[in-house]
Amino acid sequence: MKLTALAGGVGGAKLVDGLAALLPPEAFCVIVNTGDDFEHLSLKISPDLDTVCYTLAGMANPETGWGIKNETWQVYKTIAQLGGPDWFRLGDTDLATHIMRTALLCEGEPLSAITQNFCQEWGVSHRVFPMSDHPVRTMVHTNEGKVLGFQEYFVQHACEPVVSRFEFKGADEAKPVDDALRRLNESDLVVFAPSNPWVSIDPILAVPGYRESLRGKPVIAISPLIEGRALKGPAAKMYRELGIRPSASAIAEHYHDLLTGFVFDERDRGELEKIERWRIIPLLTDIFMEDKQDRIRLAREVLSFGQTILSRSH
Ligand code: FO1
């Protein structure tokens, strides 16, 4: 079975890690959101891409989920001392990634090729694709009429502003990475990782080509919510502010035109009927991933659910 996952940050990376433990590189790849990318201190930062790569490399900081484990912060502290911005923390080792990526991008190398080379150095054998080599920027519109860059909203303002809508600047002109689209087209099954639908998966689907490639393909999404609460990040808060009750069924409804199957938590069994109403095949299980074992267990369940769905459709 060939599988492609679409993923955003920390939650998505955990499931991707589980899937990568079970499937060989020729059968599994991941397309990652780059709507969170931005420039900080003139460096080009790709937070979700790095989170997925560091996680697959076993390098990720286990406390935060982002950044590198056993990190030191000398440069960050010195920059702050010199009056530089201190709201976005870049660790000393992590900085090397951003400096090299910035230099290579400035020399004209595409982000996808840079990522492939970094992955090779980090011992990541599965392909990790940025959703595009063209810049796409997630902009957060607030109820006060402000427009914030994603990291400004997420880190600088700690997700406090009330959101009114999201914009994926540059998406219309962006193109999928050729190899990513080819792998997606060749996939038997597509998985939306338990990432934030609004700001992790939607930006990928906004790049012309991906959504079209999913039509007629079995797609399984994993809920990023349990009992209306996000496992990490502001997904539940965003749903509330947009006038939607955050729930497993709200996630299924979000993607309903694309989904064949939906994996959600046993604690949300009450949502089952609503989800079946969308003609989506449900799988109830424990979706919480505390450690590597959980990632592999959930990935195994998603794969066997996928097999069942595939055998039904043949
Ligand atoms: N998240 C924070 O909450 N504070 C930070 O200072 C921060 C720094 C950072 C540096 C590099 C990186 O790759 C990620 C970083 N993140 C930080 C996480 C990032 O903002 C979010 O994980 C994603 O953009 C949301 O998926």
Side-chain angles (χ1 to χ4, degrees):
M1 177 168 62
K2 284 189 176 167
L3 192 149
T4 298
L6 271 50
V10 177
K14 289 181 182 175
L15 182 73
V16 166
D17 194 34
L19 290 166
L22 299 174
L23 292 169
E26 60 278 12
F28 175 60
C29 70
V30 53
I31 302 173
V32 178
N33 169 41
T34 54
D36 291 16
D37 292 14
F38 78 129
E39 287 199 11
H40 185 68
L41 294 164
S42 300
L43 294 173
K44 293 177 191 291
I45 320 284
S46 295
D48 284 2
L49 209 48
D50 290 345
T51 296
V52 170
C53 294
Y54 292 162
T55 302
L56 286 175
M59 290 159 61
N61 178 334
E63 272 101 56
T64 54
W66 53 266
I68 295 178
K69 65 181 170 192
N70 306 321
E71 187 60 283
T72 55
W73 301 92
Q74 219 43 55
V75 178
Y76 165 76
K77 284 183 199 157
T78 312
I79 288 171
Q81 228 168 32
L82 294 172
D86 62 356
W87 62 272
F88 197 78
R89 295 186 294 140
L90 294 173
D92 297 334
T93 318
D94 188 29
L95 258 170
T97 303
H98 310 303
I99 292 170
M100 278 306 292
R101 177 169 40 227
T102 305
L104 293 166
L105 283 170
C106 289
E107 285 168 19
E109 210 172 310
L111 183 59
S112 53
I114 297 169
T115 307
Q116 189 175 6
N117 289 336
F118 285 2
C119 278
Q120 225 155 27
E121 291 306 322
W122 292 327
V124 174
S125 47
H126 292 80
R127 283 302 302 270
V128 178
F129 296 106
M131 66 190 196
S132 181
D133 283 323
H134 303 250
V136 177
R137 296 289 170 264
T138 297
M139 307 304 293
V140 181
H141 290 245
T142 77
N143 70 339
E144 289 178 334
K146 289 194 184 137
V147 187
L148 303 171
F150 183 76
Q151 297 301 333
E152 250 181 295
Y153 161 79
F154 190 86
V155 179
Q156 196 171 15
H157 294 284
C159 306
E160 273 161 18
V162 174
V163 304
S164 59
R165 73 180 180 93
F166 304 99
E167 180 193 350
F168 308 120
K169 227 165 118 185
D172 290 347
E173 298 81 46
K175 283 199 191 83
V177 170
D178 285 342
D179 282 347
L181 190 60
R182 184 181 49 78
R183 292 281 299 252
L184 187 63
N185 284 330
E186 288 170 1
S187 292
D188 304 301
L189 183 72
V190 179
V191 167
F192 293 175
S195 302
N196 186 319
W198 298 107
V199 292
S200 292
I201 305 296
D202 282 357
I204 305 177
L205 298 175
V207 177
Y210 289 129
R211 188 178 274 275
E212 295 70 13
S213 156
L214 296 177
R215 299 257 172 246
K217 235 183 226 316
V219 178
I220 295 175
I222 293 90
S223 177
L225 303 180
I226 300 178
E227 293 180 311
R229 282 189 292 274
L231 300 170
K232 193 163 170 61
K237 180 177 179 285
M238 287 173 174
Y239 271 97
R240 268 193 302 277
E241 291 169 0
L242 295 166
I244 303 165
R245 187 177 68 86
S247 61
S249 58
I251 305 288
E253 187 173 350
H254 193 106
Y255 300 129
H256 76 271
D257 58 331
L258 296 170
L259 286 196
T260 320
F262 185 57
V263 183
F264 60 111
D265 201 85
E266 189 61 63
R267 282 163 274 189
D268 289 320
R269 185 171 277 281
E271 304 274 318
L272 185 61
E273 205 181 304
K274 275 192 211 152
I275 287 158
E276 283 179 325
R277 233 182 276 156
W278 292 106
R279 298 184 173 212
I280 294 168
I281 307 166
L283 175 71
L284 280 148
T285 183
D286 176 7
I287 63 165
F288 189 69
M289 291 176 280
E290 175 98 61
D291 53 25
K292 181 92 179 190
Q293 263 185 337
D294 288 339
R295 298 174 186 183
I296 295 174
R297 173 196 48 79
L298 183 59
R300 193 169 277 129
E301 290 184 60
V302 169
L303 288 180
S304 91
F305 182 46
Q307 295 284 12
T308 312
I309 286 180
L310 285 175
S311 61
R312 274 202 210 183
S313 63
H314 286 307

